[in-house]
Amino acid sequence: ADFDSKKKRKVAEIYQALNSDPIDVATLRRMAISEGGLLTDEIRCKVWPKLLSVNTDDLPPLPAGKELREDNKDYQQVLLDVRRSLRRFPPGMPDDQREGLQEELIDIILHVLKRNPQLHYYQGYHDIVVTFLLVVGDRLATALVEKLSTHHLRDFMDPTMDNTKHILNYLMPIIDQVNPDVHDFMQSAEVGTIFALSWLITWFGHVLSDFRHVVRLYDFFLACHPLMPIYFAAVIVLYREQEVLDCECDMASVHHLLSQIPQDLPYETLISRAGDLFVQFPPSELAREAAQQQAERTAASTFKDFELASVQQRPDTVLRQRFRERLRGEERTKSILTKPRTNRFVKLAVMGLTVALGAAALAVVKSALEWAPKFELQIFP
């Protein structure tokens, strides 16, 4: 009963925010992040557009599918992916209804691509679109997905995967801040971050079998900074600390373990933890390390980079062996770099408190409001 009254209060608060003039978007963001998210699909239809600032009074009519499909370079690939997407529809849905939705799914994707030639389709994009289609219907889904594709998902829709890889490079620095043991174990296993690629580019839609968990995460991601999914990925890895450390320390074993995502994750706990980590280690703080991950991988770590890193060192921290330079297949030269870790424990002592105070939610909201579509210019070195 207590849960029900809490839910009723939350619904009332959401509608109050929707009905205020101007609409109280900050409260809607907080509601989407806090426990239980937006609660029902009916509410999502009203709130998701506000989170993406999409005007629902002025939705463009949907184009006819036939003209979209003729001479569209992506049509065949989209068709294949959508045909394979059976398990993304609720079990027990009649075939003809599902097939109708699959046709709508193809049209939405082709429509967005046609209107935005700068965007490139990627496998996994349909996993995001189907979530919107099932929650808000085709017309609204088209408008929301278009906005999302030119903002949050923009980096995944480049002609190359460089920016996507760059976002993945934030994963290890986050893990390192919270749990150096897990980080070092993963580095020794040389597992990389590809196991989290499908999580990131589908907003976990592809890997979670329960639709309720997927939409709960979408509430969270829509209300937050575009890099939040990578924080959530880090939190899943950290939650599985024991399994990871008990694993054979080799690439195949660790990759296999991590790519199989447990279906019974404590979502609410992980969501608030991801919010906490975002507040404590914002992307701007991790940007240098993410760039360094990139340098390690592309073997472009020249003497100049090394010099630069030495300049930025703080002598008060413990020397730790850092990245292995790989220069054109020459033997690995191991360089010892230091890393400022002194305030880590102080920061972690604040964990948990921030959520209780709602500070995390507020800070996440604030950064989401300040974030502009050109965020790659600020974050990506």
Side-chain angles (χ1 to χ4, degrees):
D2 182 44
F3 174 69
D4 281 343
S5 64
K6 235 162 85 176
K7 215 164 144 179
K8 279 198 185 108
R9 262 206 313 279
K10 188 168 190 178
V11 171
E13 215 173 327
I14 291 171
Y15 277 103
Q16 194 183 339
L18 281 167
N19 294 328
S20 66
D21 187 20
I23 287 167
D24 183 353
V25 179
T27 293
L28 294 177
R29 285 182 192 281
R30 215 173 59 243
M31 297 287 122
I33 294 166
S34 65
E35 191 182 349
L38 295 172
L39 303 169
T40 70
D41 285 355
E42 191 189 343
I43 292 176
R44 289 184 177 103
C45 290
K46 297 183 168 73
V47 176
W48 281 3
K50 305 298 179 253
L51 296 180
L52 286 169
S53 10
V54 166
N55 178 6
T56 47
D57 301 330
D58 189 24
L59 294 176
L62 283 178
K66 195 163 169 295
E67 62 207 46
L68 275 176
R69 298 176 190 213
E70 286 162 7
D71 68 44
N72 190 306
K73 65 177 179 10
D74 296 300
Y75 174 56
Q76 286 307 323
Q77 186 59 55
V78 172
L79 183 66
L80 282 173
D81 290 346
V82 168
R83 288 226 172 108
R84 278 199 299 257
S85 67
L86 288 186
R87 56 176 213 82
R88 290 301 321 277
F89 293 89
M93 178 182 272
D95 285 354
D96 53 345
Q97 190 187 352
R98 190 202 69 243
E99 283 159 17
L101 285 166
Q102 284 178 311
E103 293 303 311
E104 288 175 9
L105 182 55
I106 294 171
D107 288 344
I108 294 173
I109 294 172
L110 295 180
H111 175 68
V112 172
L113 292 172
K114 186 172 181 171
R115 279 174 44 108
N116 301 274
Q118 77 282 11
L119 299 177
H120 296 259
Y121 177 76
Y122 64 87
Q123 281 187 284
Y125 181 69
H126 70 286
D127 281 302
I128 287 188
V129 182
V130 73
T131 307
F132 283 91
L133 174 61
L134 289 171
V135 173
V136 303
D138 60 348
R139 201 159 162 209
L140 184 48
T142 306
L144 297 183
V145 165
E146 181 163 11
K147 187 64 171 273
L148 201 68
S149 304
T150 50
H151 290 70
H152 290 62
L153 308 178
R154 181 69 191 85
D155 287 307
F156 310 147
M157 304 191 78
D158 277 346
T160 71
M161 279 194 63
D162 292 350
N163 275 346
T164 304
K165 284 185 189 138
H166 186 78
I167 295 171
L168 280 171
N169 286 336
Y170 279 83
L171 184 69
M172 294 305 283
I174 300 168
I175 291 171
D176 197 15
Q177 291 288 359
V178 182
N179 192 326
D181 295 344
V182 170
H183 170 271
D184 295 353
F185 182 87
M186 289 172 71
Q187 289 289 65
S188 306
E190 297 189 347
V191 66
T193 52
I194 289 302
F195 66 85
L197 177 66
S198 67
W199 304 357
L200 180 68
I201 64 176
T202 68
W203 277 12
F204 297 84
H206 186 72
V207 290
L208 299 180
S209 51
D210 189 330
F211 192 69
R212 286 171 317 172
H213 298 150
V214 177
V215 291
R216 169 66 189 103
L217 281 180
Y218 278 42
D219 292 341
F220 178 47
F221 296 151
L222 286 170
C224 292
H225 189 287
L227 285 179
M228 192 53 89
I230 204 70
Y231 283 79
F232 193 76
V235 164
I236 290 180
V237 175
L238 291 162
Y239 171 73
R240 303 182 71 191
E241 169 190 10
Q242 212 42 60
E243 287 174 86
V244 173
L245 297 176
D246 291 344
C247 196
E248 290 290 319
C249 188
D250 65 71
M251 186 175 162
S253 311
V254 181
H255 179 86
H256 179 74
L257 172 77
L258 288 174
S259 50
Q260 307 288 317
I261 203 165
Q263 294 295 327
D264 57 347
L265 294 167
Y267 291 92
E268 295 301 336
T269 310
L270 297 184
I271 283 171
S272 68
R273 234 177 249 173
D276 267 354
L277 290 185
F278 185 93
V279 176
Q280 289 160 349
F281 313 111
S284 52
E285 247 183 59
L286 302 170
R288 197 180 95 231
E289 273 182 77
Q292 186 179 305
Q293 293 255 340
Q294 186 71 8
E296 275 170 59
R297 224 170 267 145
T298 50
S301 356
T302 58
F303 181 66
K304 194 166 169 301
D305 289 341
F306 181 72
E307 228 173 21
L308 192 68
S310 323
V311 173
Q312 292 173 333
Q313 282 174 22
R314 295 218 293 248
D316 62 350
T317 45
V318 191
L319 280 169
R320 280 183 85 232
Q321 189 179 315
R322 284 310 275 155
F323 63 97
R324 308 185 191 91
E325 276 183 322
R326 294 180 185 151
L327 288 175
R328 304 224 163 89
E330 290 171 25
E331 65 172 312
R332 293 175 182 171
T333 33
K334 299 206 169 172
S335 45
I336 309 259
L337 283 182
T338 55
K339 178 163 170 223
R341 264 254 176 86
T342 41
N343 59 356
R344 206 183 117 243
F345 297 104
V346 183
K347 278 193 166 158
L348 290 182
V350 186
M351 279 284 275
L353 283 181
T354 44
V355 160
L357 302 171
L362 288 173
V364 171
V365 163
K366 195 163 156 292
S367 66
L369 296 174
E370 286 163 2
W371 169 75
K374 301 233 171 329
F375 84 106
E376 59 258 30
L377 300 178
Q378 301 148 34
I379 299 180
F380 295 163

